[in-house]
Amino acid sequence: MEGGLVLLGGGGGGNGGSSSGVSTNESAVLSKVEVVSEAESELELGLGLSLGGGGCSTGKTKASNSSWGECGRILTAKDFPSSVVSQRTNNGGPSSVAVSGTKRSAESVSHDSGSPTAVSQVVGWPPIRAYRVNSLVNQAKAQRGDEEDKPKDDLKKKHNYNGKQISSTVNEKGHLGFVKVNMDGIPIGRKVNLNSHSSYESLAQELEDMFLRSANSVEKEPSTMASKLLDGSSEFVLTYEDKEGDWMLVGDVPWRMFVSSVRRLRIMRTSEANGLGMYK
Amino acid sequence: MHKKMAFSFPDEVLEHVFSFIQSDKDRNSVSMVCKSWYEIERYCRRKVFVGNCYAVSPRMVIRRFPEFRSIELKGKPHFADFNLVPDGWGGYVFPWIAEMAGALPWLEEIKLKRMVVTDESLELIAKSFKNFKVLVLSSCEGFSTDGLAAIAATCKNLKELDLRDCEGDDLGWHWLSYFPDTYTSLVSLNISCLGSDEVSFSALERLVGRCTNLRTLRLNRAVPLDKIANILRHAPQLVEFGTGSYTADLRPDIYSDLAGAFSSCKELKSLSGFWDVVPAYLPAIYPVCSKLTSLNLSYATLQSSDLIKLVSHCPNLQRLLVLDYIEDSGLEALASICNDLQELRVFPSDPFGVEPNVSLTEQGLVAVSSGCPKLQSVLYFCRQMSNEALVTIAKNRPNFTRFRLCIIEPTTADYLTLEPLDVGFGAIVQYCKDLQRLSLSGLLTDRVFEYIGTYAKKLEMLSIAFAGDGDLGLHHVLSGCESLRKLEIRDCPFGDKALLANAEKLETMRSLWMSSCAVSFGACKLLGQKMPRLNVEVIDERGPPDSRPESCPVDKLYIYRTLVGPRFDMPPFVWTMEDDPSLQQLSRANLM
């Protein structure tokens, strides 16, 4: 279980004497990470637990203001701001590992990244009831009317209503932001908020986190299932039931069109998904 | 010998005196005075409140209070509202209905919050309680129109049917026609959560028409504006009304119809609904605005100027729910017009956007705190905050009892100084000595918890997210907040130490929720072992916690005090930590 990974923020933490805490966390975390560390070099897991220890409380830099929010999520290479990288390596650990409780979207972390289109993907945040979210979405659509000829490049659309700029996630009339998701072999279904996603990738990522991490055996390599839901190379494929009741493969149509017609999702075994469409 | 006071009055007199004592807390106090008062009180308690349906069994409640007529039950933890509690966790009401069906034939009221209510439960209610009067389902799920039809068809004395915030797959309307033509006792109907299938206006209109005692009617979005006038004309005695979709083609006849109908409602005090609102139709409600005390515009996508115009007609408002389209300017206007305002909730119109879409900042809240002397309850979503503003707000309004601030982006610092918001929230707890409920947000260190532990002595419910540095923060709260009953925490670096050090505290609280924190499975087991009167539930969809090392943090943790030990209706992803190691094997086997 010793994967040669060193936890950062050694020694002290906000509450002192946490060295034992750190080491137990270490072993906990190592057991999860060992299979991943070699496989996905670009996949780095933020150290959630060390925040109780040294990481954020002692080394407060500007980056650390948001670091708790970004720790405990799965980072990918593309969103790793260099300031955060240097903070981590400065603390003496080559990499750090972790418990990811909730995940943030890549873009929302780097505040100066200049991409305002991203939305938060933290489950249950901001704390708004689903019916409110759904109502906002439905109303935005109703007000827009059938303005199908609006430019379709951006998923976060701004439009004028009574002279006011209102942003709304594009979502057709009557569609609820939350849809049910079921996975073959798992009796309990989940719900996912389509409004908080702007692409198939981010949706697939959330679904993978929801379902594939709940696989019974922890030894299962999450990385082999990562992002494979969309390209047909894993054991499961992502399908959806559309407004007409047909089951389709997710990913074939533009995102916006998908969002407007999806009724519910199903993570289906690849073997059962024959005849649903082309595999890439 | 001195004759004891208690024996100098016959029981009936004491009972009569007790009947004036309605509040649960007071009743509980009365019952603790002496044994005879305990006995007298338990037979005459008519209303029972069970804050956690798993804290006690229905049989125990019935045994102690054999004559109650009204019960209020709560199921899932509050964070279930935000999808943090997986489906299937629990909160089933059926066992309660089943027990009460036999023992309490005269039961009149059932009020449920965050519970799973099946059609079977509703049918059993309809069948079992001949004098059934009040059914309130708040944020419940699990039922369909079939169950509602059973209630409508059978409960001849039904006065109140309130389905606020419930969800169900396509809850339709057809069950409304199951109210018999002879049925006239409806006083309150809230169907704002229904879907749009099978809308039956004629059934609704007939029902409204024959129930002349109707005081509260909350419709759902499917009811179009041109139907409202007719409904209001059938019920001019309404006190509380919720419209449906408040939009129609601009036609003078519809407008005058509507305006006329509203003016005939002399008793209206509360309005809600206003989905899809078209500003041109708003003046139709002006005739009733001066008497309005409660206005729910939280679905109304009106811009600031329209909102200000509307609010300026409502000087007697005590309660306002609104979207952040109202902006700072609207809140400033509100502060100058509505001096009786007691409760304000400002919801975000674009909760998932990163950039602000409206000009609503901390200034709006400062304005309201300054201009509304009776303001005591606030729920405010915004994107920026400063310590300076919070200190000003605290000093302006020491009479806050509920203060819930949600800065939309987690760990947002004071935008002026880039510091944590510890000092600001510290001022809130220091100045608002009667604060009962607090929700934190923004960048916060352990320091804010030190303030909370030191000053928030009346605090009963605390919600924490993305805050703190370590165990010390949690320790401050658990050791300092004397009145704490409910604590809910997500995504904070709180671990084992504070929890274990304050284990006894947990028995004085209703419940503790911790998700995405750093509490290890080992600590959960230890807590379960040491504290037999707590249920320590580990909720983990990754699989059994004992398939991972003990030091591995659990995903979600729900701890609550209970008199009846672990529950037996847990789904496969919930484990209750046993207090006896030898029982652990047994319970795991049961779960398989």
Side-chain angles (χ1 to χ4, degrees):
Chain A
M1 289 278 215
E2 301 301 306
L5 294 158
V6 176
L7 290 179
L8 61 84
N15 41 329
S18 62
S19 54
S20 59
V22 165
S23 62
T24 53
N25 295 340
E26 180 179 58
S27 58
V29 147
L30 287 176
S31 65
K32 270 183 68 171
V33 162
E34 55 169 9
V35 285
V36 179
S37 55
E38 286 80 39
E40 296 284 306
S41 54
E42 71 233 12
L43 199 70
E44 234 193 64
L45 304 170
L47 175 55
L49 296 176
S50 78
L51 292 177
C56 289
S57 59
T58 55
K60 278 246 184 285
T61 65
K62 259 196 241 150
S64 72
N65 278 344
S66 58
S67 59
W68 173 240
E70 75 198 30
C71 280
R73 66 180 181 99
I74 297 180
L75 307 173
T76 60
K78 65 175 158 78
D79 64 62
F80 223 50
S82 53
S83 59
V84 177
V85 171
S86 54
Q87 181 198 7
R88 294 202 166 150
T89 52
N90 282 346
N91 274 316
S95 59
S96 47
V97 293
V99 181
S100 98
T102 53
K103 294 150 283 300
R104 303 298 309 285
S105 75
E107 296 90 333
S108 65
V109 171
S110 38
H111 297 285
D112 51 354
S113 71
S115 72
T117 57
V119 294
S120 168
Q121 287 174 36
V122 180
V123 174
W125 191 267
I128 302 171
R129 303 284 306 269
Y131 63 77
R132 283 198 185 280
V133 172
N134 297 340
S135 162
L136 286 172
V137 163
N138 291 339
Q139 289 192 86
K141 167 54 190 149
Q143 282 153 12
R144 271 183 45 236
D146 292 6
E147 296 174 27
E148 298 293 351
D149 49 345
K150 284 229 155 171
K152 297 175 201 295
D153 47 318
D154 200 355
L155 285 134
K156 266 234 156 267
K157 279 189 153 196
K158 293 195 191 296
H159 60 275
N160 286 326
Y161 171 62
N162 286 353
K164 213 54 217 190
Q165 284 272 324
I166 298 176
S167 275
S168 69
T169 309
V170 174
N171 215 326
E172 299 304 326
K173 188 177 9 179
H175 182 74
L176 303 182
F178 281 88
V179 291
K180 285 197 176 158
V181 195
N182 285 83
M183 175 163 167
D184 286 356
I186 295 185
I188 310 284
R190 303 293 301 272
K191 282 196 199 135
V192 63
N193 179 8
L194 288 181
N195 293 337
S196 70
H197 294 283
S198 52
S199 71
Y200 285 120
E201 280 74 34
S202 72
L203 173 63
Q205 185 66 58
E206 181 173 357
L207 292 177
E208 282 149 25
D209 292 333
M210 269 184 184
F211 285 95
L212 302 175
R213 295 173 128 256
S214 70
N216 284 333
S217 154
V218 144
E219 279 73 38
K220 227 172 203 151
E221 304 181 359
S223 58
T224 60
M225 294 194 181
S227 300
K228 302 297 194 288
L229 276 180
L230 293 178
D231 65 12
S233 60
S234 95
E235 195 187 318
F236 291 92
V237 288
L238 184 57
T239 64
Y240 71 103
E241 182 186 23
D242 71 5
K243 282 203 280 241
E244 277 98 52
D246 299 323
W247 284 93
M248 321 272 283
L249 199 62
V250 165
D252 284 337
V253 301
W255 171 257
R256 196 169 149 265
M257 202 184 298
F258 160 72
V259 159
S260 70
S261 59
V262 59
R263 262 224 231 129
R264 56 188 165 131
L265 296 164
R266 182 172 157 205
I267 301 174
M268 210 180 268
R269 285 188 221 284
T270 307
S271 49
E272 290 186 26
N274 289 324
L276 276 187
M278 294 196 322
Y279 296 90
K280 298 202 175 90
Chain B
M1 195 156 79
H2 212 67
K3 209 172 187 183
K4 291 216 183 100
M5 203 51 167
F7 296 131
S8 63
F9 291 113
D11 288 2
E12 296 79 22
V13 174
L14 279 171
E15 260 187 47
H16 183 69
V17 172
F18 295 166
S19 70
F20 293 102
I21 299 170
Q22 302 288 350
S23 106
D24 232 51
K25 266 191 194 161
D26 292 340
R27 278 270 174 169
N28 291 344
S29 306
V30 161
S31 67
M32 303 230 281
V33 166
C34 63
K35 279 199 185 135
S36 73
W37 280 34
Y38 176 92
E39 283 300 310
I40 296 167
E41 194 281 319
R42 64 181 263 259
Y43 277 101
C44 68
R45 188 172 307 206
R46 296 284 175 260
K47 280 192 164 108
V48 168
F49 171 77
V50 179
N52 174 5
C53 65
Y54 291 120
V56 73
S57 76
R59 206 167 287 184
M60 287 175 75
V61 175
I62 296 171
R63 204 166 45 223
R64 176 158 173 205
F65 303 114
E67 306 273 343
F68 68 87
R69 300 268 189 275
S70 162
I71 185 162
E72 185 176 345
L73 283 169
K74 296 190 181 179
K76 300 185 205 170
H78 173 239
F79 272 174
D81 286 352
F82 315 123
N83 262 8
L84 287 177
V85 178
D87 280 345
W89 171 84
Y92 306 103
V93 79
F94 187 79
W96 288 83
I97 310 293
E99 286 284 349
M100 294 188 300
L104 295 160
W106 299 113
L107 190 68
E108 293 177 3
E109 298 187 359
I110 296 176
K111 300 181 181 176
L112 306 174
K113 189 164 188 181
R114 287 189 209 101
M115 294 197 77
V116 177
V117 183
T118 55
D119 285 340
E120 208 187 1
S121 306
L122 292 177
E123 282 154 18
L124 191 54
I125 291 173
K127 218 168 39 168
S128 317
F129 308 117
K130 301 296 172 221
N131 203 26
F132 195 64
K133 295 200 170 114
V134 172
L135 183 64
V136 177
L137 302 180
S138 173
S139 306
C140 295
E141 51 164 351
F143 58 95
S144 78
T145 51
D146 292 344
L148 296 175
I151 299 281
T154 326
C155 301
K156 299 187 181 28
N157 294 315
L158 191 71
K159 283 169 51 174
E160 195 174 324
L161 180 58
D162 186 332
L163 306 174
R164 61 181 77 160
D165 306 334
C166 289
E167 59 173 282
D169 284 335
D170 303 317
L171 280 175
W173 283 57
H174 84 279
W175 58 274
L176 274 173
S177 35
Y178 280 74
F179 283 110
D181 291 333
T182 48
Y183 169 73
T184 58
S185 16
L186 199 60
V187 173
S188 171
L189 182 66
N190 182 341
I191 48 174
S192 51
C193 68
L194 292 188
S196 48
D197 289 349
E198 312 160 351
V199 179
S200 170
F201 299 125
S202 53
L204 177 65
E205 279 168 22
R206 278 183 280 118
L207 181 65
V208 170
R210 64 181 185 269
C211 296
T212 53
N213 288 321
L214 195 65
R215 290 279 175 277
T216 299
L217 179 63
R218 305 255 188 223
L219 302 172
N220 80 329
R221 195 167 174 192
V223 179
L225 193 55
D226 52 7
K227 297 283 183 192
I228 299 288
N230 235 9
I231 291 173
L232 284 178
R233 258 193 286 277
H234 280 121
Q237 75 283 3
L238 280 178
V239 176
E240 301 182 325
F241 181 63
T243 76
S245 179
Y246 205 79
T247 183
D249 295 333
L250 294 177
R251 278 167 43 188
D253 55 329
I254 298 184
Y255 180 88
S256 55
D257 214 18
L258 191 63
F262 270 114
S263 359
S264 67
C265 295
K266 309 284 184 207
E267 314 289 329
L268 263 187
K269 291 222 161 57
S270 165
L271 280 180
S272 61
F274 298 105
W275 286 275
D276 314 305
V277 60
V278 163
Y281 275 107
L282 277 179
I285 68 169
Y286 286 173
V288 300
C289 282
S290 62
K291 291 219 190 103
L292 282 185
T293 56
S294 168
L295 188 53
N296 182 350
L297 296 170
S298 61
Y299 300 107
T301 49
L302 292 164
Q303 60 169 333
S304 182
S305 53
D306 290 318
L307 285 166
I308 295 176
K309 239 190 284 177
L310 177 54
V311 157
S312 64
H313 283 87
C314 311
N316 291 313
L317 269 191
Q318 293 170 14
R319 186 167 182 262
L320 177 66
L321 281 65
V322 73
L323 287 170
D324 59 7
Y325 293 130
I326 195 170
E327 299 195 323
D328 290 338
S329 55
L331 291 175
E332 277 154 23
L334 180 71
S336 63
I337 299 165
C338 300
N339 295 313
D340 281 346
L341 197 67
Q342 294 171 21
E343 180 179 350
L344 174 68
R345 297 192 189 205
V346 180
F347 295 97
S349 53
D350 184 21
F352 302 110
V354 170
E355 288 183 342
N357 62 322
V358 291
S359 175
L360 180 102
T361 68
E362 79 283 5
Q363 291 311 316
L365 189 54
V366 171
V368 180
S369 72
S370 163
C372 303
K374 298 191 192 161
L375 189 65
Q376 27 167 296
S377 170
V378 152
L379 170 61
Y380 198 79
F381 285 82
C382 62
R383 286 190 157 83
Q384 69 182 42
M385 188 49 63
S386 66
N387 283 310
E388 185 186 329
L390 281 171
V391 171
T392 306
I393 290 165
K395 287 183 175 167
N396 282 343
R397 212 56 320 127
N399 47 324
F400 273 134
T401 54
R402 302 162 119 81
F403 189 80
R404 295 159 69 189
L405 179 65
C406 178
I407 304 165
I408 290 178
E409 185 71 20
T411 67
T412 301
D414 177 327
Y415 77 99
L416 295 171
T417 64
L418 297 184
E419 286 177 353
L421 291 168
D422 301 334
V423 167
F425 279 106
I428 295 282
V429 293
Q430 192 182 340
Y431 285 94
C432 305
K433 300 201 193 302
D434 291 325
L435 197 67
Q436 288 169 18
R437 185 164 177 189
L438 177 65
S439 301
L440 305 172
S441 58
L443 181 66
L444 297 164
T445 71
D446 280 347
R447 216 170 139 209
V448 72
F449 300 115
E450 203 181 328
Y451 290 130
I452 291 174
T454 306
Y455 293 109
K457 295 306 181 187
K458 301 267 181 71
L459 192 66
E460 297 180 12
M461 183 169 176
L462 179 61
S463 308
I464 309 173
F466 304 102
D469 306 313
D471 278 283
L472 198 54
L474 181 57
H475 176 68
H476 284 310
V477 171
L478 289 176
S479 58
C481 296
E482 292 160 5
S483 312
L484 198 62
R485 290 189 298 115
K486 290 179 278 187
L487 181 57
E488 47 186 26
I489 303 172
R490 60 163 298 174
D491 294 90
C492 296
F494 299 145
D496 303 343
K497 289 198 198 60
L499 205 54
L500 294 174
N502 291 284
E504 275 92 25
K505 170 73 175 176
L506 299 176
E507 268 187 21
T508 69
M509 294 164 53
R510 182 188 298 175
S511 65
L512 166 64
W513 169 277
M514 291 179 77
S515 57
S516 305
C517 296
V519 180
S520 72
F521 177 52
C524 295
K525 281 206 298 194
L526 193 56
L527 202 55
Q529 276 170 16
K530 300 246 147 148
M531 310 293 296
R533 283 188 300 239
L534 291 180
N535 274 355
V536 178
E537 288 190 9
V538 170
I539 302 165
D540 209 322
E541 291 171 272
R542 295 172 294 180
D546 54 9
S547 65
R548 288 180 289 278
E550 280 211 358
S551 50
C552 198
V554 298
D555 183 24
K556 297 170 184 179
L557 178 59
Y558 185 49
I559 302 174
Y560 53 90
R561 66 178 172 189
T562 178
L563 298 173
V564 291
R567 55 191 177 107
F568 298 108
D569 59 1
M570 291 178 290
F573 51 84
V574 177
W575 294 265
T576 303
M577 306 293 104
E578 289 290 351
D579 52 0
D580 185 350
S582 67
L583 285 177
Q584 240 166 349
Q585 299 296 329
L586 199 63
S587 66
R588 249 192 253 141
N590 282 342
L591 288 171
M592 294 305 175

